[in-house]
Amino acid sequence: MDSALTLFRERGYDKTTMRAISDEAGVSLGNAYYYFGSKEHLIQAYYDRVQEEHEQGSVSVLARETEFAARLGGVFDVWVDVAAPYHEFAGKFFKNAAEPTSPLSPFSEESQPARQASVALFRAAVDGSDLKLATGLREELPDLLWLMHMGIVLFWVHDQSPSQERTRALIAHVVPLVDKLARMTRLPVVRGVVTDVLVLVRSLRTA
Amino acid sequence: MDSALTLFRERGYDKTTMRAISDEAGVSLGNAYYYFGSKEHLIQAYYDRVQEEHEQGSVSVLARETEFAARLGGVFDVWVDVAAPYHEFAGKFFKNAAEPTSPLSPFSEESQPARQASVALFRAAVDGSDLKLATGLREELPDLLWLMHMGIVLFWVHDQSPSQERTRALIAHVVPLVDKLARMTRLPVVRGVVTDVLVLVRSLRTA
DNA sequence: GTCTATAGTGGGATAGAC
DNA sequence: GTCTATCCCACTATAGAC
């Protein structure tokens, strides 16, 4: 995995052959395939690394901040920081992850552990905050925030601005909005809609 | 393109070789490559076909319905109908479209015409309806609905239920919710949030 | 400029010996 | 578990017909 990640970074995903990776790792081609079912499976290393660093990087943010907006924005920002080094060929990764049958898909069975770890991060951001929510929403909100995170990732992958500053601007704009919306959920007028959303989210999850 | 689409449908994308496609079309392999730079370029045929049929199929819906929810749901449903025959290999198509550098990406320069045509469909759904909106929202809403459409497509690609009934259920649940939300935009309490969203959407588009 | 035929190459993936 | 040898097929190259 280390060999693969190094070479991916040096030459890009497409130009890195499985033969080069196995050579670099000092094993035979067949042996590489014994451990990794396909070239795409090696991308899992990148995922796992980003996921792990995202968790570690978020610790200090979540320890420091108490306001919901600061916690959420912090967690989003940390992801952009840790993912940055691989932004150039993240598109290739993303392409492979986008296929539903791929084990790399963020919605796949195989990536459930990573997904749950990520959702847990957002749950921590919510739970440790000052946020007061409509009843029932507290349970589902982390999933919705994870989904929003996926949207930000999609934006980031397409973001060609220097240092991905457009993505950072998006986060800076979106977070206060989410904060405002979340606090509005307790208003009587809004409650009906919140209930509808919760019913929808739950029906999707159970099927 | 017809040969390719037929074979993709019969055996799937991976099991269809370029040789088989060129044979089926009665041309040489080299000639197939003369017109299509790669196997993936043939997917463009599918993309174009769905877009065209989506427009055509939506005409009768938009002529028949006047209520916003019915018009929007109709347009969403028509897409699921026309895309259905190719659902099995749609994942391959989607994979291709997901790469930011790909001309097939729905966000790319090259697919701007198709994207605008699609947005126009949603604009028609809004404009011909009974819907009353907060000022300013009428202009941006079609773009937001197109984005929602992309979300539904994402769900559809991952949907393994028979006849993609989960996607249809999603549409059936989401449309009334959107209708409700859209009508709420004129309420005083909600107005502030609507303005925030509009500012955000506009700032993203101009950059 | 459009097309055919044929002969490659490269690299992802696999079979099967050990 | 590790290897070598091989398959398969997307893709390229080329030479030439019309």
Side-chain angles (χ1 to χ4, degrees), chain A residues 9 23 25 65 87 101 109 113 127 139 160 170-171 194 196:
Chain A
R9 216 167 145 176
D23 279 358
E65 306 288 351
H87 181 264
T101 55
E109 196 75 29
D127 283 350
E139 185 52 33
Q160 291 305 314
L170 174 67
I171 293 171
V194 173
D196 290 348

Side-chain angles (χ1 to χ4, degrees), chain A residues 46-97:
Chain A
Y46 166 72
Y47 277 12
D48 293 345
R49 181 168 297 187
V50 168
Q51 174 57 34
E52 200 183 326
E53 288 181 22
H54 189 200
E55 278 177 60
Q56 287 168 2
S58 297
V59 169
S60 67
V61 172
L62 295 178
R64 187 172 63 240
E65 306 288 351
T66 53
E67 288 190 1
F68 175 63
R71 292 169 70 85
L72 180 63
V75 170
F76 281 152
D77 281 336
V78 167
W79 189 90
V80 175
D81 288 338
V82 304
Y86 294 92
H87 181 264
E88 276 179 69
F89 28 88
K92 302 288 179 192
F93 295 164
F94 190 71
K95 171 179 177 171
N96 289 286

